[in-house]
mmCIF file of all heavy atoms in Angstrom:
data_model
loop_
_atom_site.group_PDB
_atom_site.id
_atom_site.type_symbol
_atom_site.label_atom_id
_atom_site.label_comp_id
_atom_site.label_asym_id
_atom_site.label_seq_id
_atom_site.Cartn_x
_atom_site.Cartn_y
_atom_site.Cartn_z
ATOM 1 N N HIS A 1 0.834 -1.175 0.004
ATOM 2 C CA HIS A 1 -0.003 0.021 -0.006
ATOM 3 C C HIS A 1 0.844 1.260 -0.051
ATOM 4 O O HIS A 1 1.750 1.416 0.844
ATOM 5 C CB HIS A 1 -0.908 0.049 1.226
ATOM 6 C CG HIS A 1 -1.884 1.165 1.258
ATOM 7 N ND1 HIS A 1 -2.762 1.445 2.227
ATOM 8 C CD2 HIS A 1 -2.122 2.233 0.462
ATOM 9 C CE1 HIS A 1 -3.513 2.398 2.198
ATOM 10 N NE2 HIS A 1 -3.090 2.967 1.054
ATOM 11 N N VAL A 2 0.741 2.064 -0.988
ATOM 12 C CA VAL A 2 1.421 3.420 -1.080
ATOM 13 C C VAL A 2 0.366 4.588 -0.926
ATOM 14 O O VAL A 2 -0.666 4.563 -1.668
ATOM 15 C CB VAL A 2 2.247 3.407 -2.334
ATOM 16 C CG1 VAL A 2 2.820 4.899 -2.570
ATOM 17 C CG2 VAL A 2 3.244 2.473 -2.483
ATOM 18 N N ALA A 3 0.650 5.430 -0.083
ATOM 19 C CA ALA A 3 -0.112 6.640 0.021
ATOM 20 C C ALA A 3 0.629 7.878 -0.469
ATOM 21 O O ALA A 3 2.005 7.877 -0.167
ATOM 22 C CB ALA A 3 -0.586 6.860 1.603
ATOM 23 N N ILE A 4 0.025 8.795 -1.046
ATOM 24 C CA ILE A 4 0.727 9.916 -1.627
ATOM 25 C C ILE A 4 -0.082 11.234 -1.301
ATOM 26 O O ILE A 4 -1.156 11.248 -1.380
ATOM 27 C CB ILE A 4 0.851 9.804 -3.267
ATOM 28 C CG1 ILE A 4 1.389 8.439 -3.574
ATOM 29 C CG2 ILE A 4 1.611 10.939 -3.782
ATOM 30 C CD1 ILE A 4 1.523 8.293 -5.138
ATOM 31 N N ILE A 5 0.881 12.191 -0.934
ATOM 32 C CA ILE A 5 0.341 13.573 -0.759
ATOM 33 C C ILE A 5 0.782 14.339 -2.041
ATOM 34 O O ILE A 5 1.942 14.577 -2.278
ATOM 35 C CB ILE A 5 1.012 14.330 0.559
ATOM 36 C CG1 ILE A 5 0.468 13.489 1.893
ATOM 37 C CG2 ILE A 5 0.500 15.760 0.593
ATOM 38 C CD1 ILE A 5 1.194 14.084 3.049
ATOM 39 N N LEU A 6 -0.273 14.671 -2.810
ATOM 40 C CA LEU A 6 0.012 15.264 -4.186
ATOM 41 C C LEU A 6 0.222 16.777 -3.959
ATOM 42 O O LEU A 6 -0.648 17.547 -3.895
ATOM 43 C CB LEU A 6 -1.188 15.130 -5.016
ATOM 44 C CG LEU A 6 -1.917 13.659 -5.074
ATOM 45 C CD1 LEU A 6 -3.184 13.713 -5.863
ATOM 46 C CD2 LEU A 6 -0.909 12.595 -5.507
ATOM 47 N N ASP A 7 1.510 17.122 -3.999
ATOM 48 C CA ASP A 7 1.779 18.608 -3.645
ATOM 49 C C ASP A 7 2.662 19.148 -4.790
ATOM 50 O O ASP A 7 3.570 18.492 -5.449
ATOM 51 C CB ASP A 7 2.626 18.663 -2.324
ATOM 52 C CG ASP A 7 2.518 19.887 -1.616
ATOM 53 O OD1 ASP A 7 1.788 20.868 -2.153
ATOM 54 O OD2 ASP A 7 3.079 20.094 -0.468
ATOM 55 N N GLY A 8 2.398 20.466 -5.052
ATOM 56 C CA GLY A 8 3.156 21.174 -6.040
ATOM 57 C C GLY A 8 2.528 21.505 -7.288
ATOM 58 O O GLY A 8 3.209 22.164 -8.240
ATOM 59 N N ASN A 9 1.237 21.323 -7.421
ATOM 60 C CA ASN A 9 0.456 21.701 -8.557
ATOM 61 C C ASN A 9 0.528 23.165 -8.846
ATOM 62 O O ASN A 9 0.749 23.598 -10.077
ATOM 63 C CB ASN A 9 -0.978 21.182 -8.487
ATOM 64 C CG ASN A 9 -1.140 19.759 -8.577
ATOM 65 O OD1 ASN A 9 -0.313 19.040 -9.006
ATOM 66 N ND2 ASN A 9 -2.271 19.239 -8.153
ATOM 67 N N GLY A 10 0.262 23.929 -7.929
ATOM 68 C CA GLY A 10 0.303 25.463 -8.045
ATOM 69 C C GLY A 10 1.683 25.855 -8.480
ATOM 70 O O GLY A 10 1.841 26.825 -9.395
ATOM 71 N N ARG A 11 2.695 25.417 -7.819
ATOM 72 C CA ARG A 11 4.043 25.854 -8.073
ATOM 73 C C ARG A 11 4.499 25.396 -9.512
ATOM 74 O O ARG A 11 5.213 26.123 -10.161
ATOM 75 C CB ARG A 11 5.064 25.348 -6.984
ATOM 76 C CG ARG A 11 5.072 26.250 -5.841
ATOM 77 C CD ARG A 11 5.863 25.479 -4.632
ATOM 78 N NE ARG A 11 4.947 24.518 -3.902
ATOM 79 C CZ ARG A 11 5.247 23.722 -3.014
ATOM 80 N NH1 ARG A 11 6.484 23.682 -2.518
ATOM 81 N NH2 ARG A 11 4.333 22.886 -2.420
ATOM 82 N N TRP A 12 4.005 24.254 -9.902
ATOM 83 C CA TRP A 12 4.316 23.771 -11.207
ATOM 84 C C TRP A 12 3.653 24.719 -12.249
ATOM 85 O O TRP A 12 4.486 25.116 -13.238
ATOM 86 C CB TRP A 12 3.781 22.414 -11.360
ATOM 87 C CG TRP A 12 4.045 21.812 -12.744
ATOM 88 C CD1 TRP A 12 5.023 20.947 -13.028
ATOM 89 C CD2 TRP A 12 3.203 21.809 -13.951
ATOM 90 N NE1 TRP A 12 4.883 20.555 -14.438
ATOM 91 C CE2 TRP A 12 3.804 21.082 -14.981
ATOM 92 C CE3 TRP A 12 1.925 22.462 -14.209
ATOM 93 C CZ2 TRP A 12 3.218 20.990 -16.191
ATOM 94 C CZ3 TRP A 12 1.444 22.378 -15.520
ATOM 95 C CH2 TRP A 12 1.946 21.717 -16.427
ATOM 96 N N ALA A 13 2.524 25.139 -12.053
ATOM 97 C CA ALA A 13 1.841 26.129 -12.909
ATOM 98 C C ALA A 13 2.528 27.563 -12.892
ATOM 99 O O ALA A 13 2.731 28.091 -14.068
ATOM 100 C CB ALA A 13 0.297 26.307 -12.547
ATOM 101 N N LYS A 14 2.843 27.985 -11.729
ATOM 102 C CA LYS A 14 3.486 29.258 -11.594
ATOM 103 C C LYS A 14 4.758 29.291 -12.378
ATOM 104 O O LYS A 14 5.175 30.338 -12.981
ATOM 105 C CB LYS A 14 3.762 29.586 -10.103
ATOM 106 C CG LYS A 14 4.283 31.019 -9.795
ATOM 107 C CD LYS A 14 4.469 31.257 -8.298
ATOM 108 C CE LYS A 14 4.977 32.603 -8.086
ATOM 109 N NZ LYS A 14 5.057 32.861 -6.602
ATOM 110 N N LYS A 15 5.657 28.281 -12.302
ATOM 111 C CA LYS A 15 6.884 28.237 -13.025
ATOM 112 C C LYS A 15 6.702 28.351 -14.415
ATOM 113 O O LYS A 15 7.561 28.805 -15.279
ATOM 114 C CB LYS A 15 7.580 26.926 -12.702
ATOM 115 C CG LYS A 15 8.209 26.798 -11.279
ATOM 116 C CD LYS A 15 8.792 25.442 -11.036
ATOM 117 C CE LYS A 15 9.925 25.101 -12.076
ATOM 118 N NZ LYS A 15 10.633 23.817 -11.690
ATOM 119 N N ARG A 16 5.474 27.939 -15.034
ATOM 120 C CA ARG A 16 5.184 28.031 -16.426
ATOM 121 C C ARG A 16 4.291 29.249 -16.764
ATOM 122 O O ARG A 16 3.762 29.274 -17.901
ATOM 123 C CB ARG A 16 4.579 26.702 -16.763
ATOM 124 C CG ARG A 16 5.505 25.594 -16.847
ATOM 125 C CD ARG A 16 4.945 24.214 -16.724
ATOM 126 N NE ARG A 16 5.806 23.147 -16.775
ATOM 127 C CZ ARG A 16 6.593 22.787 -15.708
ATOM 128 N NH1 ARG A 16 6.519 23.511 -14.586
ATOM 129 N NH2 ARG A 16 7.560 21.741 -15.890
ATOM 130 N N PHE A 17 4.158 30.140 -15.824
ATOM 131 C CA PHE A 17 3.364 31.309 -16.064
ATOM 132 C C PHE A 17 1.824 30.987 -16.476
ATOM 133 O O PHE A 17 1.280 31.495 -17.275
ATOM 134 C CB PHE A 17 3.958 32.347 -17.073
ATOM 135 C CG PHE A 17 5.247 32.686 -16.717
ATOM 136 C CD1 PHE A 17 6.383 32.095 -17.206
ATOM 137 C CD2 PHE A 17 5.590 33.639 -15.776
ATOM 138 C CE1 PHE A 17 7.780 32.477 -16.942
ATOM 139 C CE2 PHE A 17 6.874 34.015 -15.406
ATOM 140 C CZ PHE A 17 7.887 33.454 -16.017
ATOM 141 N N LEU A 18 1.330 29.842 -15.847
ATOM 142 C CA LEU A 18 0.016 29.388 -16.077
ATOM 143 C C LEU A 18 -0.808 29.593 -14.831
ATOM 144 O O LEU A 18 -0.325 29.720 -13.747
ATOM 145 C CB LEU A 18 0.123 27.788 -16.413
ATOM 146 C CG LEU A 18 0.858 27.465 -17.716
ATOM 147 C CD1 LEU A 18 0.958 25.899 -17.757
ATOM 148 C CD2 LEU A 18 0.065 28.020 -18.915
ATOM 149 N N PRO A 19 -2.175 29.563 -14.992
ATOM 150 C CA PRO A 19 -2.990 29.615 -13.878
ATOM 151 C C PRO A 19 -2.904 28.399 -12.938
ATOM 152 O O PRO A 19 -2.534 27.328 -13.436
ATOM 153 C CB PRO A 19 -4.506 29.766 -14.400
ATOM 154 C CG PRO A 19 -4.329 29.213 -15.730
ATOM 155 C CD PRO A 19 -2.899 29.518 -16.306
ATOM 156 N N ARG A 20 -3.205 28.511 -11.622
ATOM 157 C CA ARG A 20 -3.078 27.338 -10.769
ATOM 158 C C ARG A 20 -3.927 26.198 -11.170
ATOM 159 O O ARG A 20 -3.583 25.027 -11.040
ATOM 160 C CB ARG A 20 -3.527 27.791 -9.380
ATOM 161 C CG ARG A 20 -2.453 28.619 -8.579
ATOM 162 C CD ARG A 20 -2.970 29.004 -7.292
ATOM 163 N NE ARG A 20 -3.126 27.857 -6.393
ATOM 164 C CZ ARG A 20 -2.274 27.246 -5.623
ATOM 165 N NH1 ARG A 20 -0.987 27.781 -5.762
ATOM 166 N NH2 ARG A 20 -2.599 26.284 -4.867
ATOM 167 N N ASN A 21 -5.013 26.592 -11.864
ATOM 168 C CA ASN A 21 -6.044 25.472 -12.270
ATOM 169 C C ASN A 21 -5.307 24.540 -13.334
ATOM 170 O O ASN A 21 -5.695 23.358 -13.374
ATOM 171 C CB ASN A 21 -7.226 26.068 -12.848
ATOM 172 C CG ASN A 21 -8.043 26.860 -11.840
ATOM 173 O OD1 ASN A 21 -7.840 26.695 -10.638
ATOM 174 N ND2 ASN A 21 -8.897 27.741 -12.298
ATOM 175 N N ALA A 22 -4.403 25.127 -14.110
ATOM 176 C CA ALA A 22 -3.627 24.239 -15.115
ATOM 177 C C ALA A 22 -2.810 23.325 -14.399
ATOM 178 O O ALA A 22 -2.560 22.267 -15.011
ATOM 179 C CB ALA A 22 -2.813 25.189 -16.077
ATOM 180 N N GLY A 23 -2.179 23.713 -13.256
ATOM 181 C CA GLY A 23 -1.476 22.863 -12.461
ATOM 182 C C GLY A 23 -2.215 21.588 -11.965
ATOM 183 O O GLY A 23 -1.797 20.545 -11.881
ATOM 184 N N HIS A 24 -3.500 21.945 -11.450
ATOM 185 C CA HIS A 24 -4.386 20.831 -10.999
ATOM 186 C C HIS A 24 -4.774 19.874 -12.089
ATOM 187 O O HIS A 24 -4.868 18.643 -11.909
ATOM 188 C CB HIS A 24 -5.495 21.443 -10.345
ATOM 189 C CG HIS A 24 -5.289 22.264 -9.115
ATOM 190 N ND1 HIS A 24 -4.531 21.827 -8.061
ATOM 191 C CD2 HIS A 24 -5.669 23.511 -8.694
ATOM 192 C CE1 HIS A 24 -4.462 22.744 -7.143
ATOM 193 N NE2 HIS A 24 -5.098 23.799 -7.524
ATOM 194 N N ALA A 25 -5.018 20.430 -13.358
ATOM 195 C CA ALA A 25 -5.347 19.608 -14.385
ATOM 196 C C ALA A 25 -4.256 18.604 -14.853
ATOM 197 O O ALA A 25 -4.295 17.493 -15.026
ATOM 198 C CB ALA A 25 -5.789 20.517 -15.552
ATOM 199 N N ALA A 26 -2.999 19.200 -14.729
ATOM 200 C CA ALA A 26 -1.757 18.539 -14.990
ATOM 201 C C ALA A 26 -1.570 17.355 -14.007
ATOM 202 O O ALA A 26 -1.218 16.240 -14.187
ATOM 203 C CB ALA A 26 -0.554 19.267 -15.183
ATOM 204 N N GLY A 27 -1.805 17.758 -12.767
ATOM 205 C CA GLY A 27 -1.735 16.751 -11.587
ATOM 206 C C GLY A 27 -2.791 15.561 -11.762
ATOM 207 O O GLY A 27 -2.361 14.528 -11.430
ATOM 208 N N ALA A 28 -3.958 15.901 -12.306
ATOM 209 C CA ALA A 28 -4.926 14.793 -12.438
ATOM 210 C C ALA A 28 -4.442 13.815 -13.445
ATOM 211 O O ALA A 28 -4.640 12.565 -13.280
ATOM 212 C CB ALA A 28 -6.198 15.388 -12.837
ATOM 213 N N LYS A 29 -3.691 14.350 -14.527
ATOM 214 C CA LYS A 29 -3.236 13.302 -15.563
ATOM 215 C C LYS A 29 -2.010 12.573 -14.899
ATOM 216 O O LYS A 29 -1.837 11.384 -15.190
ATOM 217 C CB LYS A 29 -2.725 14.231 -16.640
ATOM 218 C CG LYS A 29 -3.786 14.810 -17.488
ATOM 219 C CD LYS A 29 -3.276 15.623 -18.594
ATOM 220 C CE LYS A 29 -4.377 16.296 -19.443
ATOM 221 N NZ LYS A 29 -3.771 17.116 -20.604
ATOM 222 N N THR A 30 -1.266 13.068 -14.055
ATOM 223 C CA THR A 30 -0.298 12.433 -13.279
ATOM 224 C C THR A 30 -0.754 11.295 -12.436
ATOM 225 O O THR A 30 -0.152 10.175 -12.317
ATOM 226 C CB THR A 30 0.693 13.355 -12.520
ATOM 227 O OG1 THR A 30 1.216 14.370 -13.299
ATOM 228 C CG2 THR A 30 1.846 12.577 -11.816
ATOM 229 N N VAL A 31 -1.950 11.438 -11.832
ATOM 230 C CA VAL A 31 -2.515 10.506 -11.003
ATOM 231 C C VAL A 31 -2.776 9.285 -11.905
ATOM 232 O O VAL A 31 -2.541 8.222 -11.434
ATOM 233 C CB VAL A 31 -3.855 11.008 -10.378
ATOM 234 C CG1 VAL A 31 -4.666 9.913 -9.733
ATOM 235 C CG2 VAL A 31 -3.581 12.111 -9.222
ATOM 236 N N GLU A 32 -3.441 9.509 -13.088
ATOM 237 C CA GLU A 32 -3.741 8.350 -13.952
ATOM 238 C C GLU A 32 -2.547 7.569 -14.242
ATOM 239 O O GLU A 32 -2.530 6.362 -14.288
ATOM 240 C CB GLU A 32 -4.403 8.850 -15.077
ATOM 241 C CG GLU A 32 -5.778 9.357 -14.965
ATOM 242 C CD GLU A 32 -6.696 8.322 -14.119
ATOM 243 O OE1 GLU A 32 -6.796 7.250 -14.528
ATOM 244 O OE2 GLU A 32 -7.251 8.717 -13.070
ATOM 245 N N LYS A 33 -1.472 8.294 -14.631
ATOM 246 C CA LYS A 33 -0.255 7.594 -14.961
ATOM 247 C C LYS A 33 0.405 6.868 -13.911
ATOM 248 O O LYS A 33 0.895 5.805 -13.940
ATOM 249 C CB LYS A 33 0.862 8.598 -15.498
ATOM 250 C CG LYS A 33 0.435 9.333 -16.770
ATOM 251 C CD LYS A 33 1.398 10.353 -17.207
ATOM 252 C CE LYS A 33 1.005 11.142 -18.364
ATOM 253 N NZ LYS A 33 1.942 12.279 -18.646
ATOM 254 N N THR A 34 0.238 7.417 -12.606
ATOM 255 C CA THR A 34 0.781 6.808 -11.416
ATOM 256 C C THR A 34 0.007 5.590 -10.980
ATOM 257 O O THR A 34 0.614 4.539 -10.569
ATOM 258 C CB THR A 34 0.836 7.768 -10.287
ATOM 259 O OG1 THR A 34 1.533 8.952 -10.579
ATOM 260 C CG2 THR A 34 1.411 7.111 -9.051
ATOM 261 N N ILE A 35 -1.346 5.557 -11.191
ATOM 262 C CA ILE A 35 -2.082 4.416 -10.957
ATOM 263 C C ILE A 35 -1.580 3.197 -11.824
ATOM 264 O O ILE A 35 -1.435 1.983 -11.490
ATOM 265 C CB ILE A 35 -3.515 4.581 -11.270
ATOM 266 C CG1 ILE A 35 -4.161 5.615 -10.197
ATOM 267 C CG2 ILE A 35 -4.364 3.276 -11.163
ATOM 268 C CD1 ILE A 35 -5.559 6.078 -10.626
ATOM 269 N N GLU A 36 -1.320 3.622 -13.228
ATOM 270 C CA GLU A 36 -0.912 2.448 -14.043
ATOM 271 C C GLU A 36 0.462 1.981 -13.651
ATOM 272 O O GLU A 36 0.629 0.758 -13.680
ATOM 273 C CB GLU A 36 -0.862 3.066 -15.519
ATOM 274 C CG GLU A 36 -0.463 2.104 -16.505
ATOM 275 C CD GLU A 36 -0.480 2.636 -17.961
ATOM 276 O OE1 GLU A 36 -0.864 3.801 -18.077
ATOM 277 O OE2 GLU A 36 -0.140 1.858 -18.947
ATOM 278 N N SER A 37 1.397 2.895 -13.297
ATOM 279 C CA SER A 37 2.709 2.508 -12.918
ATOM 280 C C SER A 37 2.603 1.651 -11.623
ATOM 281 O O SER A 37 3.455 0.557 -11.559
ATOM 282 C CB SER A 37 3.563 3.699 -12.683
ATOM 283 O OG SER A 37 3.762 4.501 -13.765
ATOM 284 N N ALA A 38 1.858 2.059 -10.633
ATOM 285 C CA ALA A 38 1.789 1.223 -9.419
ATOM 286 C C ALA A 38 1.192 -0.134 -9.732
ATOM 287 O O ALA A 38 1.780 -1.138 -9.143
ATOM 288 C CB ALA A 38 0.814 2.017 -8.573
ATOM 289 N N HIS A 39 0.195 -0.245 -10.536
ATOM 290 C CA HIS A 39 -0.372 -1.552 -10.914
ATOM 291 C C HIS A 39 0.675 -2.467 -11.606
ATOM 292 O O HIS A 39 0.804 -3.604 -11.175
ATOM 293 C CB HIS A 39 -1.544 -1.311 -11.829
ATOM 294 C CG HIS A 39 -2.139 -2.593 -12.314
ATOM 295 N ND1 HIS A 39 -2.813 -3.644 -11.596
ATOM 296 C CD2 HIS A 39 -2.015 -3.207 -13.689
ATOM 297 C CE1 HIS A 39 -3.042 -4.636 -12.343
ATOM 298 N NE2 HIS A 39 -2.622 -4.332 -13.594
ATOM 299 N N ASN A 40 1.430 -1.875 -12.363
ATOM 300 C CA ASN A 40 2.465 -2.665 -13.248
ATOM 301 C C ASN A 40 3.504 -3.088 -12.270
ATOM 302 O O ASN A 40 4.166 -4.197 -12.499
ATOM 303 C CB ASN A 40 3.071 -1.788 -14.358
ATOM 304 C CG ASN A 40 1.981 -1.538 -15.404
ATOM 305 O OD1 ASN A 40 1.081 -2.309 -15.522
ATOM 306 N ND2 ASN A 40 2.253 -0.541 -16.144
ATOM 307 N N MET A 41 3.876 -2.330 -11.135
ATOM 308 C CA MET A 41 4.902 -2.762 -10.198
ATOM 309 C C MET A 41 4.470 -3.776 -9.286
ATOM 310 O O MET A 41 5.155 -4.407 -8.522
ATOM 311 C CB MET A 41 5.276 -1.536 -9.382
ATOM 312 C CG MET A 41 6.073 -0.541 -10.355
ATOM 313 S SD MET A 41 6.559 0.885 -9.214
ATOM 314 C CE MET A 41 7.123 2.126 -10.412
ATOM 315 N N GLY A 42 3.065 -3.990 -9.259
ATOM 316 C CA GLY A 42 2.534 -5.002 -8.177
ATOM 317 C C GLY A 42 2.091 -4.394 -6.967
ATOM 318 O O GLY A 42 1.728 -5.036 -5.918
#
């Protein structure tokens, strides 16, 4: 069992001069990729 605190979406967006909401949207995509990676690892 792996638990994750998803932190840094706002800072990710700020570094790219994007609104914070863009960071949250990017973070949601990362969640999907991480689920797949976690499953593949067992």
Side-chain angles (χ1 to χ4, degrees):
H1 183 180
V2 175
I4 308 179
I5 299 176
L6 321 176
D7 204 0
N9 291 339
R11 276 166 280 176
W12 182 91
K14 184 177 180 180
K15 284 175 62 177
R16 290 159 177 79
F17 303 100
L18 297 170
R20 287 178 60 86
N21 297 339
H24 295 311
K29 293 179 181 177
T30 300
V31 169
E32 290 309 310
K33 295 174 185 176
T34 303
I35 294 170
E36 182 177 356
S37 297
H39 171 71
N40 292 337
M41 289 180 197

